[in-house]
Amino acid sequence: MELTKTITAFTKIETKPRQRINWKSQRLAYLFLFPALILFGLICWYPIFQTIMYSFQEVNLSGFKGWVGFDNYRRMFGNPIFYIVWRNTLTYVLLSIAIGSMVPIVLALMINEMRRLSAFFQTLVYLPVLIPVVVGLIVWRQIYAPEGGILNGLLQLVGIPPQLWLQNPALAKPAIVVIMTWLGAGGTVLIYLSGLREIPLELYEAAELDGFSVLKRIWFITLPHISARIKIMLVLQIIFVAQVFTEPFILTAGGPANSTRSPVLEIYDTAFNQNNFGLASAWSVSMLVVLSIFSILYIFLQKKRPGEV
Amino acid sequence: MAISNRGVMSNTEWRSPKGRLIAVIYFLILTVAAVFVLFPFLFSFTAGFKTSLEVYKPGFHLLPEKWNWKNYADAWQRFKMVRMFVNTAIAAGGGVLAQIIVSTMAAYSLARLRPIGRNVIRALILITMAVPGIAYLVPRYIIMTNLPLIHVSLVNSFWGLWIPYACSSFMILVLTNAFEQIPKPFFEIAQVDGASDVRMFFMVALPLTSSLILVLGLLAFIALWGDFLWPYLILRNSELQTVSVRLFTLTRSFPINLYLAGSFIAMLPPTIAAFFLSTKIKGGLTI
């Protein structure tokens, strides 16, 4: 400890005269930054700038055709699909909060409380996070299938008539949100578990001595301790769900009657099937605006707990 | 005195009749969750043994009438699954490696080398975290089909994956924090010994954060292993396609029993890895 102090004091004096710009060390600093700057420029900053430019142009895979002002935006807002797609997004988000947001909290609480098999259950719920999303979806598509789908077979055993899970506009979105929960809950469980393990056990001990019931202990001690994490995970969930693409792309292709179509799926179709990059970029800008708000909220919440996932 | 062994409930409470009831309820709910999680695995495993006629048969029958082991051999050979796995390993492995190299260097510079304008650079990196990648997918794709200045197309090349994969604002952010948190004396002692900044990067910064880098790399590998949309756009040649892309395109042209068998095979390596790495992931998810 004494040595540390000495060295710190020593270097403090030494660093004082180094206030002037040292060009040699600046060269090294930028040498280290160089790959990141080049790649971020090429892959992120320049494309973000381009998206905004494209949204005012007529442009396709073969190149620039001309400036069109706000035409792309007019077409986007004039198309009823725009409102359908954003309403779908809102429904996805609300459904996923209703179905999916509580599940990880409850699972984490139970896994943490188990005296045995806790590690086993933890690994198990994390499993779907590890497998490629597409592979999981291919299997789920067959579970939901109208012909020989095993879910209908299972429900028949308890007397429920077969349903067209992914072909019925009323059922398709909830069916997809169930899969999203299956795919994503495990990762969130791990994040809550690490939060639960940080809670000082003395608090529970004291509460128990004071006669607090188990439910009260969870309500007054456990949940407040992980509430910051819950907030962050909710915002993250909204950001992820609003970007949903793979699920409707593989399971329904946006159908039936556009009831599962998401903004990203619309961007994909406009760009790569209709070859209209200008209109797709106008769509992208609308996404950029909506998601940036939530991302800024996430970074703001994150700032209070730096360094955490 | 620190209490080490209890949960919300103490051990005596847990063993009381009321505690036992709660334990049983917890166990049942977790078992239901486990069955729900494992069901698609089990379903694809057994359906992979059926004939495709049997898969389409209505009603609930999980087990096949006859175990056709040949389906799995067929799927393995006809889908060229070895090729698929190798491609995915190249894409994800190369991506993680590039990400680690680019991020550690940038983070070291931002945390230790005080480049002029570092606050602007930090802000620009933070912005890319706030803007979802999906929103600038289209121009990014055009850039990849025709790189500026050198006019090379990276479609059907792993470089088309590695270059975007190398950019991770998240990893730069976490590593910058980590490098800043290394106690100053570590560097100062090295400096007294005459170590240069480059040498301190390799001898101080990297070794002290190696376990963090390992966890970040692992998480990145998991994410890249299952990536779909970008490889789907870039890898059009079936010989190069990754697991996700290949299985998706195959479902259009192969019988259902074969691609369910193929799907199960594709789920195996991550599953096996999960049970080996479960302790690592547990310890490392919160950094």
Side-chain angles (χ1 to χ4, degrees):
Chain A
M1 205 53 203
E2 202 56 42
L3 181 73
T4 337
K5 265 183 197 156
T6 328
I7 293 170
T8 321
F10 175 71
T11 43
K12 262 215 181 100
I13 301 158
E14 223 212 12
T15 47
K16 272 256 165 81
R18 275 209 289 160
Q19 287 300 324
R20 260 182 283 116
I21 297 165
N22 181 341
W23 290 108
K24 210 178 143 216
S25 79
Q26 281 302 312
R27 208 179 60 196
L28 185 74
Y30 272 92
L31 211 65
F32 268 78
L33 268 176
F34 183 70
L37 290 180
I38 289 288
L39 288 174
F40 271 84
L42 186 71
I43 292 304
C44 301
W45 300 326
Y46 181 59
I48 291 173
F49 172 73
Q50 276 287 57
T51 300
I52 297 167
M53 292 291 113
Y54 279 173
S55 71
F56 298 106
Q57 295 172 357
E58 189 187 332
V59 58
N60 58 29
L61 195 54
S62 49
F64 175 71
K65 295 280 184 295
W67 293 90
V68 295
F70 282 93
D71 272 10
N72 288 324
Y73 288 95
R74 244 172 258 138
R75 276 184 66 187
M76 177 176 77
F77 288 121
N79 191 341
I81 288 280
F82 182 78
Y83 306 97
I84 296 173
V85 161
W86 280 105
R87 207 167 48 224
N88 285 344
T89 307
L90 187 68
T91 320
Y92 276 129
V93 167
L94 293 178
L95 276 174
S96 82
I97 288 173
I99 299 176
S101 68
M102 287 298 290
V103 174
I105 301 175
V106 173
L107 288 180
L109 266 174
M110 291 180 174
I111 289 173
N112 195 45
E113 195 65 30
M114 293 302 276
R115 299 299 196 274
R116 255 173 267 160
L117 291 173
S118 161
F120 170 75
F121 280 121
Q122 184 189 318
T123 310
L124 213 64
V125 294
Y126 194 61
L127 220 50
V129 179
L130 297 171
I131 64 159
V133 176
V134 172
V135 178
L137 290 175
I138 289 170
V139 175
W140 271 101
R141 187 168 62 182
Q142 191 50 39
I143 291 176
Y144 278 141
E147 287 172 71
I150 199 143
L151 180 63
N152 279 336
L154 191 68
L155 290 177
Q156 229 165 25
L157 294 181
V158 289
I160 298 170
Q163 303 288 331
L164 295 167
W165 295 103
L166 295 171
Q167 290 74 26
N168 178 346
L171 289 174
K173 269 192 288 261
I176 285 178
V177 171
V178 168
I179 302 177
M180 286 160 94
T181 309
W182 182 81
L183 284 166
T188 318
V189 167
L190 286 205
I191 288 166
Y192 287 143
L193 271 176
S194 72
L196 292 177
R197 286 180 184 135
E198 279 171 15
I199 300 174
L201 297 172
E202 286 83 354
L203 291 176
Y204 293 129
E205 188 90 345
E208 192 189 338
L209 289 175
D210 283 347
F212 279 76
S213 70
V214 175
L215 267 179
K216 271 193 177 152
R217 272 174 250 164
I218 290 174
W219 185 256
F220 288 114
I221 299 173
T222 315
L223 291 181
H225 266 94
I226 57 168
S227 67
R229 278 192 168 84
I230 295 176
K231 265 183 240 157
I232 291 174
M233 293 320 291
L234 268 181
V235 177
L236 269 187
Q237 192 181 351
I238 293 171
I239 295 172
F240 280 132
V241 172
Q243 295 183 55
V244 60
F245 165 77
T246 320
E247 287 86 351
F249 179 68
I250 285 171
L251 295 169
T252 61
N258 287 326
S259 67
T260 58
R261 186 167 288 273
S262 70
V264 180
L265 187 59
E266 184 62 28
I267 293 172
Y268 176 87
D269 274 346
T270 312
F272 298 105
N273 291 336
Q274 300 164 26
N275 195 15
N276 188 342
F277 287 177
L279 185 58
S281 295
W283 273 95
S284 301
V285 171
S286 79
M287 276 220 79
L288 205 139
V289 170
V290 174
L291 288 178
S292 299
I293 295 168
F294 285 105
S295 299
I296 289 162
L297 185 64
Y298 167 71
I299 290 170
F300 174 74
L301 287 173
Q302 183 80 334
K303 268 215 160 140
K304 293 182 182 166
R305 308 178 57 81
E308 299 249 356
V309 177
Chain B
M1 204 178 80
I3 307 145
S4 59
N5 191 17
R6 63 166 293 152
V8 174
M9 291 187 270
S10 66
N11 283 345
T12 37
E13 239 183 325
W14 186 251
R15 284 198 205 89
S16 71
K18 197 183 148 210
R20 293 219 181 253
L21 182 71
I22 293 175
V24 169
I25 293 170
Y26 280 14
F27 182 75
L28 284 179
I29 293 175
L30 285 175
T31 309
V32 169
V35 170
F36 177 66
V37 164
L38 285 181
F39 187 74
F41 291 81
L42 186 68
F43 168 71
S44 58
F45 176 65
T46 57
F49 286 106
K50 296 174 181 173
T51 62
S52 58
L53 215 64
E54 209 186 329
V55 175
Y56 284 121
K57 213 167 79 178
F60 183 79
H61 31 73
L62 206 51
L63 297 180
E65 286 159 11
K66 193 169 152 272
W67 297 78
N68 300 302
W69 287 92
K70 206 175 156 296
N71 286 354
Y72 276 88
D74 270 2
W76 182 260
Q77 277 164 2
R78 287 172 68 186
F79 296 175
K80 295 186 187 150
M81 296 207 69
V82 181
R83 183 81 252 163
M84 234 189 254
F85 282 130
V86 169
N87 288 341
T88 319
I90 293 172
V96 171
L97 202 68
Q99 205 176 94
I100 289 176
I101 293 171
V102 170
S103 304
T104 48
M105 286 175 72
Y108 183 68
S109 177
L110 287 174
R112 295 280 316 163
L113 302 179
R114 316 184 162 280
I116 304 164
R118 59 185 171 278
N119 290 329
V120 178
I121 295 168
R122 273 179 199 229
L124 282 172
I125 288 172
L126 211 62
I127 282 175
T128 61
M129 233 174 133
V131 178
I134 228 95
Y136 46 96
L137 185 83
V138 174
R140 184 190 267 190
Y141 177 73
I142 295 180
I143 289 168
M144 284 295 137
T145 59
N146 185 8
L147 278 181
L149 303 176
I150 49 175
H151 300 289
V152 174
S153 168
L154 293 182
V155 173
N156 283 328
S157 147
F158 283 116
W159 286 101
L161 299 182
W162 290 335
I163 289 175
Y165 287 172
C167 296
S168 166
S169 44
F170 171 72
M171 200 185 258
I172 292 181
L173 203 78
V174 174
L175 283 174
T176 307
N177 273 348
F179 288 155
E180 272 170 354
Q181 278 164 17
I182 296 174
K184 287 255 152 49
F186 279 105
F187 291 104
E188 286 153 0
I189 291 170
Q191 219 157 28
V192 169
D193 284 348
S196 65
D197 283 323
V198 179
R199 205 175 151 74
M200 280 195 280
F201 175 61
F202 289 109
M203 305 308 280
V204 182
L206 288 186
L208 284 176
T209 51
S210 60
S211 61
L212 173 69
I213 294 172
L214 190 75
V215 171
L216 286 173
L218 206 66
L219 290 175
F221 189 81
I222 292 166
L224 297 185
W225 180 272
D227 195 21
F228 173 69
L229 179 55
W230 191 251
Y232 180 67
L233 290 173
I234 293 291
L235 303 174
R236 309 307 294 186
N237 178 353
S238 66
E239 285 295 305
L240 296 173
Q241 282 173 350
T242 60
V243 171
S244 299
V245 180
R246 190 92 188 103
L247 274 180
F248 172 67
T249 43
L250 284 174
T251 57
R252 293 176 185 151
S253 45
F254 279 88
I256 187 161
N257 53 346
L258 281 196
Y259 77 66
L260 284 172
S263 300
F264 181 74
I265 298 174
M267 292 199 275
L268 270 184
T271 309
I272 295 165
F275 281 94
F276 278 114
L277 296 172
S278 57
T279 49
K280 272 253 154 55
I281 297 169
K282 175 174 59 186
L285 211 98
T286 37
I287 289 145

